[in-house]
Amino acid sequence: MGDPFTGDVPDDALYGIEPLRILISPLAGDTQGLAARHIHDRLSGRVGVAITVADRALTAPGADHNQPLFVSMAVDLGRRWLKRENADLLIWGESVPTPAGTAHGVSWRLRFLSRATPLHPHSATLSALERLEVPALFDDATGDLVFGTALAAVSVESADGIRARAALFRPVLKAATHFAEGDTVGTVAECATAQACYAALLLLEGARTGDIKTLQRAVSVYQGALILGEDAFPLHERAMVGTHIADALSLITAQGERLKLADKTVAYYRAALAMVRKEVFADDYAALQTRLGLALHNLAQSTGEAGHLKAAADAFSAATGIWTITDAPERWADIQNSLGSLLITMGRLTEQHGLFDKAVSVFLKIAQARPRTTAPLVWATALANIGAALKEKGVAARNLDCLYQAADAFEQASEVFTELNLESNVKLMDSQRDHVRLILAAQGVV
């Protein structure tokens, strides 16, 4: 697909839209109060971003944020801060002493918290459970990596937000690449977390473009970070890195239909679930169950084994047990999209055409509940799924009206994905639409 650092995001994409709002908390243990202002200065001056500094630290000094319970409590409080301040992302963390003999005496352990736990790499590729350690009073090159990590962590679903991040992300990824692939000096934690955050940038770009080489590079860098940081990453962070490897593998599988990768993807998600405590990290546990369900669905499509669909449905059910229609209607609707897709696959494998109609009904309800104006990504996904269901029914029942409607649904979805700069989705929708048109042409109609 060419250079992964270039794209068709117009230069004026950041003008006339709401900026991404980043809130910086003073770091716990920073007795001199330098960190928040320094981070602010390194990230400021970029069009499309509004940065403010909170008046106090999110957490108290001395809390051990390598322990899951402390991280969970901070995430809950941080999300309340984000809602109160109407911000998209919170950067928080702590000042920690480095091991004796290192070049500097203090590291800044930065964490990045978005307003919602993302379901897909299109939304965000860095979890609230992960961190980036940098030297105190870091330089401009490290500042680019910090800013790129912030962009990889922020979960945005509005059209303007997605376009703004895409326009900001392109130059930052290029700068971060020069930094991360050069000679790195620092503590083990600094080097390992820098590599993991760089991999998050590669994954986000690969998810957007569908470029397999970029996704493969993300897997390689993540795996290297795990080896380098074997003793530096606590269990929940290792689980998140494994999750991102699975995310990349799932996207590669979608492009190349590689069965062995589908098996590995499921294995990575299951391993991550075994390391993330449901009672402590409920949102992340639900997100992992959702991703596992999607991976099992892909495996069923590759193998034709309907048993994987039952396991996928169980995973989605576990996720909606946490993300209920009352407590998390947006996430609940996202999972309903996935359950509807299961109906399509089940209809194809069992040749029960009525399942296609049930799937269309599910997707229509989602499109009505999450309209294009307020949730363009969810709406377009629902339209794409409607197209898939109608295509399957049209082919199975030789129904030309269904095929016409399928082509129209794919076209509408493609328009929105184009607006959101999601190139891989656009390619898939255009391919599906063209395939339907070929079927119609073979029937002697257009």
Side-chain angles (χ1 to χ4, degrees), residues 14-81:
L14 297 172
Y15 294 95
I17 62 177
E18 286 293 317
L20 295 174
R21 296 172 296 278
I22 298 177
L23 177 65
I24 301 172
S25 163
L27 300 190
D30 177 26
T31 56
Q32 294 180 297
L34 298 175
R37 180 51 55 187
H38 181 81
I39 297 168
H40 175 277
D41 292 344
R42 288 295 186 211
L43 303 189
S44 295
R46 305 170 197 258
V47 177
V49 180
I51 303 174
T52 56
V53 176
D55 58 2
R56 60 187 177 89
L58 180 69
T59 59
D64 184 359
H65 288 104
N66 281 327
Q67 298 300 316
L69 185 59
F70 283 110
V71 177
S72 175
M73 292 170 62
V75 167
D76 289 342
L77 177 58
R79 291 239 163 91
R80 291 198 291 272
W81 279 27

Side-chain angles (χ1 to χ4, degrees), residues 103-156:
H104 48 273
V106 175
S107 288
W108 290 344
R109 183 175 292 163
L110 307 182
R111 300 177 187 272
F112 303 80
L113 176 63
S114 188
R115 295 185 69 170
T117 300
L119 281 182
H120 309 291
H122 296 123
S123 300
T125 60
L126 192 87
S127 164
L129 309 192
E130 296 169 88
R131 74 191 192 278
L132 170 61
E133 293 205 10
V134 296
L137 302 174
F138 54 82
D139 58 16
D140 285 337
T142 305
D144 286 324
L145 181 63
V146 172
F147 185 62
T149 302
L151 294 179
V154 63
S155 181
V156 287

